[in-house]
Amino acid sequence: MAERLPQASRQRGGKAMTAAAGSAGRAAVPLLLCALLVPGGAYVLDDSDGLGREFDGIGAVSGGGATSRLLVNYPEPYRSQILDYLFKPNFGASLHILKVEIGGDGQTTDGTEPSHMHYALDENYFRGYEWWLMKEAKKRNPNIILMGLPWSFPGWLGKGFNWPYVNLQLTAYYVMTWIVGAKHYHDLDIDYIGIWNERSFDINYIKVLRRMLNYQGLHRVKIIASDNLWEPISASMLLDTELLNVIDVIGAHYPGTRTVRDARLTKKKLWSSEDFSTLNNDVGAGCLGRILNQNYINGYMTATIAWNLVASYYEQLPYGRCGLMTAQEPWSGHYAVEPPIWVTAHTTQFTQPGWYYLKTVGHLEKGGSYVALTDGLGNLTIIVETMSHKHSRCIRPFLPYFNVSHQFATFLLKGSFSEIPELQVWYTRLGKPSKRFLFKQLDSLWLLDSGGAFTLELQEDELFTLTTLTTGGKGSCPPPPESQPFPQVYEDDFDVDYPFFSEAPNFADQTGVFEYFTNIEDPGEHRFTLRQVLNQRPITWAADAYNTISVIGDYKWSNLTVRCDVYIETPEKGGVFIAGRVNKGGILIRSARGVFFWIFANGTYKVTGDLAGWIIYALGHVDVTANRWYTLTLIIKEPACLSPTFCAGRTENASDSGWRVSLPCLFLEWLNTLVSLWNRTTALI
């Protein structure tokens, strides 16, 4: 083929386009400009008969849950570089939409995010990091679309029930205050608001929410529902005119590029409001490249939102590295710009919300697909993908088998596009590193003498963007620091007068919410602490543990010491623990195993092999009471032995050795875990 390209180019007076192929030298990129149509499919791109649906954008989710947790701890300039790759136009992913979790204090996949209203009379619009993230996105792209969606809700809304629809007005008020707070405190305009992620919707609640928003002057805020499946929301809308009128977008999760008849009959915008969720390697990039085209071709979906924005959580939590890029080492500054960033750029850098799909889009004869979009002002962008079945399977749903093979595809530009003189060309090939190209700009394609026709020679797992726009760019930054494990010696005394974020660096809450707290009644060394602030179980989205827990550290640690000053606030029923080598987190946290050292305000202690407390290694009575500081020390060693042994001792002065448990032999792995009500921490290897 490398020999055929120059000959074909000479026939048309065009250019042979080549791209570097690593150490293998230079390989011809399969793009031909031909005098006659070659055998194979011919595809007409024409606006003479009008346009298709309006394009609403490509986006990603921060949340569901705590998926951006470690990003906020990154030092500069690395944090800004990561944000540029995500949001800066014509640089990286150039996202059009940012969807964030409305924190509800509950476990929502990889952690908990704090609510702006822990209690009925409590309001704080500076908790968590989603406000900060939305502002950073807006700083880079003032036109980015902002969305909010609850996963869990604070417990007070349920009035004793694990259900957010007990008082519809109250829940609508709670959501409305988040929108108003975003504007009042952060100058953020929320564009879309959801109902309850992947859970039941209440028809009357949706109507109440619309009325509440209108009453507050928030007519511009649109409602998307139900962020689950196409049904039963679509059928409910067809049967209820008021419901049909108050919902602006039907959003479904992981639709497999398909919609249903009822959804189309509503004539509403159809979005894949959560998709992807796949490891961000080449297969994940292939998944994304395929669905970004075929969500519209097969299902008329005009927006696709990837979960998640950036894999910025401990990799051993569920769905590790299922983000557009990876940034999980704030202690080193290392991050990785993964292939999904550049696959996304093929669409986002050359389109904008408000463009329109052409009606003439579809599948290629021998596998793959093509879409074309226009701004109605003469600009045209064509995206062609040939992702194979093997290299484009998403984590869900099941992907029926299909075949993609070598082919020639001729495109004919008709209507207002027939006089386009030149197309810019961007190219990606996924697969073996020696043959991989990521978002490479090729020579322009000249159409002056071709009658608006050009032919692509297509192989498996390729992605082309051909566009009239000349503004695209593959951004780059100096290489980030090398990857480093979590520091072997780590300590934090939480001595921060005015913390920028409510959560301490590198702590990842799994049940409950741990926040910086200044204890003004303690002038000593415990004035600054980390405090678990919830006293009521939230309306859960996942299986939160019965005990609050936050994790920190390196899952590879074996021999370690955890030392923590702790304070129990609740007499008789209160307690606290520290733990090591916990083997589960996220939505699996309830069944976590490890080594847990507990003390209780009723004067007892125990050592267990699980968070639930069913596996008891040791227990006894000690002189412990509430409202007093203690130092707990947990030492874990791993010599060759068959069963653990224990020793425990106590001193009441927190500056002394405190309570100590030593376990010489354990066979559990994962994050070194630290939990308390108020604590001061030192973790030593």
Side-chain angles (χ1 to χ4, degrees):
M1 185 186 69
E3 296 176 353
R4 297 199 305 271
L5 273 173
Q7 180 180 359
S9 295
R10 285 194 297 271
Q11 289 175 350
R12 292 301 312 148
K15 298 180 179 180
M17 286 180 281
T18 60
S23 60
R26 300 189 64 84
V29 172
L31 182 61
L32 299 175
L33 185 59
C34 302
L36 300 174
L37 298 184
V38 297
Y43 310 96
V44 176
L45 301 176
D46 192 356
D47 62 350
S48 300
D49 190 31
L51 299 173
R53 294 196 175 205
E54 183 179 2
F55 174 65
D56 294 308
I58 306 300
V61 182
S62 173
T67 52
S68 305
R69 175 67 195 92
L70 298 176
L71 175 61
V72 299
N73 305 334
Y74 264 79
E76 295 292 356
Y78 311 116
R79 189 172 69 176
S80 289
Q81 292 170 4
I82 295 165
L83 293 166
D84 285 349
Y85 279 116
L86 295 169
F87 301 117
K88 187 177 179 180
N90 303 312
F91 188 84
S94 305
L95 293 172
H96 304 137
I97 302 170
L98 173 60
K99 178 179 179 178
V100 303
E101 176 177 350
I102 300 176
D105 296 336
Q107 169 62 244
T108 56
T109 297
D110 289 295
T112 67
E113 297 197 29
S115 170
H116 64 288
M117 295 179 71
H118 292 317
Y119 317 107
L121 300 179
D122 163 64
E123 291 186 57
N124 186 326
Y125 298 93
F126 295 91
R127 293 186 183 121
Y129 41 83
E130 302 296 5
W131 316 104
W132 165 83
L133 185 62
M134 287 189 284
K135 287 189 289 187
E136 292 294 325
K138 277 284 186 182
K139 185 189 302 181
R140 288 160 175 80
N141 177 8
N143 297 319
I144 197 166
I145 296 165
L146 298 179
M147 303 175 61
L149 175 66
W151 267 253
S152 63
F153 294 85
W156 61 273
L157 289 172
K159 297 186 178 297
F161 297 92
N162 195 44
W163 189 247
Y165 306 130
V166 174
N167 185 321
L168 304 183
Q169 293 281 348
L170 193 61
T171 300
Y173 172 80
Y174 167 80
V175 172
M176 179 274 295
T177 59
W178 185 86
I179 299 171
V180 171
K183 180 63 175 178
H184 181 75
Y185 293 97
H186 303 285
D187 196 26
L188 293 168
D189 291 308
I190 303 301
D191 299 289
Y192 290 87
I193 198 71
I195 307 305
W196 189 13
N197 183 75
E198 296 177 357
R199 296 295 181 264
S200 300
F201 63 89
D202 182 287
I203 290 173
N204 290 325
Y205 168 73
I206 298 173
K207 297 174 182 178
V208 168
L209 177 61
R210 179 72 271 167
R211 290 195 291 270
M212 180 78 71
L213 295 175
N214 291 348
Y215 180 76
Q216 293 294 325
L218 299 170
H219 300 81
R220 64 174 298 277
V221 179
K222 298 179 174 64
I223 291 179
I224 178 170
S226 66
D227 280 299
N228 196 357
L229 304 174
W230 297 118
E231 298 291 13
I233 189 67
S234 299
S236 299
M237 292 169 67
L238 292 174
L239 295 171
D240 187 328
T241 302
E242 183 182 356
L243 182 66
L244 181 68
N245 290 334
V246 301
I247 293 176
D248 300 278
V249 175
I250 303 177
H253 289 192
Y254 309 98
T257 76
R258 304 286 177 176
T259 49
V260 298
R261 181 174 178 271
D262 281 353
R264 296 190 295 273
L265 287 175
T266 65
K267 301 188 184 304
K268 295 290 184 177
K269 290 179 178 291
L270 308 178
W271 289 9
S272 177
S273 54
E274 186 177 311
D275 219 326
F276 179 58
S277 289
T278 304
L279 187 67
N280 56 23
N281 56 13
D282 275 21
V283 173
C287 154
L288 190 59
R290 176 175 55 80
I291 65 177
L292 288 183
N293 267 19
Q294 296 192 29
N295 275 350
Y296 181 75
I297 294 168
N298 299 336
Y300 299 104
M301 286 168 269
T302 54
T304 296
I305 302 174
W307 187 89
N308 58 68
L309 175 71
V310 52
S312 203
Y313 46 98
Y314 290 108
E315 188 171 340
Q316 286 63 44
L317 290 168
Y319 305 102
R321 281 187 55 201
C322 286
L324 298 182
M325 62 183 294
T326 303
Q328 58 192 24
E329 290 186 20
W331 47 87
S332 72
H334 177 76
Y335 64 86
V337 184
E338 309 285 7
I341 289 287
W342 304 118
V343 166
T344 304
H346 270 275
T347 298
T348 54
Q349 289 202 20
F350 310 107
T351 60
Q352 287 297 323
W355 284 41
Y356 282 84
Y357 285 99
L358 301 191
K359 291 181 178 179
T360 50
V361 300
H363 293 275
L364 298 171
E365 183 179 289
K366 295 186 178 181
S369 67
Y370 65 97
V371 295
L373 302 97
T374 181
D375 62 355
L377 302 174
N379 284 308
L380 176 68
T381 291
I382 307 160
I383 304 131
V384 181
E385 61 83 19
T386 57
M387 300 304 158
S388 64
H389 182 274
K390 181 179 180 180
H391 294 111
S392 71
R393 284 176 289 186
C394 304
I395 195 170
R396 64 177 77 84
F398 171 77
L399 180 62
Y401 180 76
F402 60 87
N403 185 57
V404 177
S405 58
H406 174 259
Q407 60 190 304
F408 291 90
T410 298
F411 293 88
L412 306 175
L413 304 186
K414 298 291 186 180
S416 68
F417 310 123
S418 61
E419 301 300 321
I420 289 176
E422 178 185 6
L423 291 172
Q424 308 295 310
V425 183
W426 293 81
Y427 176 66
T428 288
R429 178 194 292 165
L430 302 172
K432 295 181 180 178
S434 62
K435 297 182 178 181
R436 181 211 268 179
F437 303 97
L438 293 176
F439 199 59
K440 181 176 181 63
Q441 186 171 17
L442 308 180
D443 292 337
S444 298
L445 178 61
W446 295 90
L447 303 175
L448 290 174
D449 302 324
S450 69
F454 63 91
T455 297
L456 297 177
E457 182 176 5
L458 301 171
Q459 307 287 349
E460 291 184 359
D461 300 318
E462 292 183 328
L463 194 61
F464 281 97
T465 295
L466 303 102
T467 181
T468 56
L469 298 183
T470 60
T471 52
K474 185 174 184 179
S476 64
C477 298
E482 293 295 320
S483 175
Q484 297 290 336
F486 195 91
Q488 288 193 333
V489 177
Y490 185 84
E491 60 182 318
D492 196 337
D493 61 8
F494 313 115
D495 190 351
V496 183
D497 275 311
Y498 301 102
F500 195 77
F501 297 104
S502 59
E503 299 142 303
N506 303 325
F507 281 82
D509 300 346
Q510 302 300 305
T511 296
V513 175
F514 294 76
E515 296 179 353
Y516 278 112
F517 178 74
T518 301
N519 183 12
I520 59 176
E521 297 179 357
D522 188 336
E525 61 178 329
H526 298 119
R527 179 178 178 85
F528 298 101
T529 61
L530 193 65
R531 187 188 197 193
Q532 200 293 116
V533 298
L534 302 188
N535 60 16
Q536 183 178 13
R537 189 173 179 81
I539 298 171
T540 58
W541 184 84
D544 292 42
Y546 289 104
N547 301 290
T548 60
I549 178 170
S550 188
V551 301
I552 186 172
D554 192 329
Y555 76 101
K556 296 178 181 178
W557 285 345
S558 53
N559 299 314
L560 65 138
T561 298
V562 183
R563 183 174 296 112
C564 179
D565 288 5
V566 299
Y567 186 97
I568 302 172
E569 294 187 69
T570 306
E572 298 300 325
K573 296 182 179 180
V576 64
F577 67 85
I578 60 175
R581 306 197 61 191
V582 178
N583 72 336
K584 293 178 183 177
I587 53 176
L588 306 175
I589 188 62
R590 182 179 291 189
S591 59
R593 301 282 294 274
V595 183
F596 298 81
F597 174 28
W598 313 67
I599 60 171
F600 300 95
N602 64 4
T604 63
Y605 82 92
K606 65 179 177 180
V607 180
T608 69
D610 63 335
L611 178 60
W614 293 103
I615 304 170
I616 299 176
Y617 293 146
L619 52 82
H621 290 271
V622 291
D623 184 13
V624 171
T625 63
N627 301 312
R628 188 167 187 173
W629 283 98
Y630 298 91
T631 296
L632 299 186
T633 302
L634 174 62
I635 302 170
I636 301 177
K637 299 181 180 180
E638 200 167 9
C641 64
L642 296 178
S643 61
T645 59
F646 310 94
C647 67
R650 169 192 59 88
T651 60
E652 294 181 354
N653 190 329
S655 64
D656 294 335
S657 59
W659 282 95
R660 181 183 298 270
V661 171
S662 178
L663 289 89
C665 183
L666 297 164
F667 301 95
L668 305 166
E669 294 191 9
W670 201 52
L671 297 176
N672 170 38
T673 307
L674 175 61
V675 178
S676 70
L677 297 176
W678 297 354
N679 63 28
R680 174 180 175 144
T681 309
T682 303
L684 304 173
I685 293 297

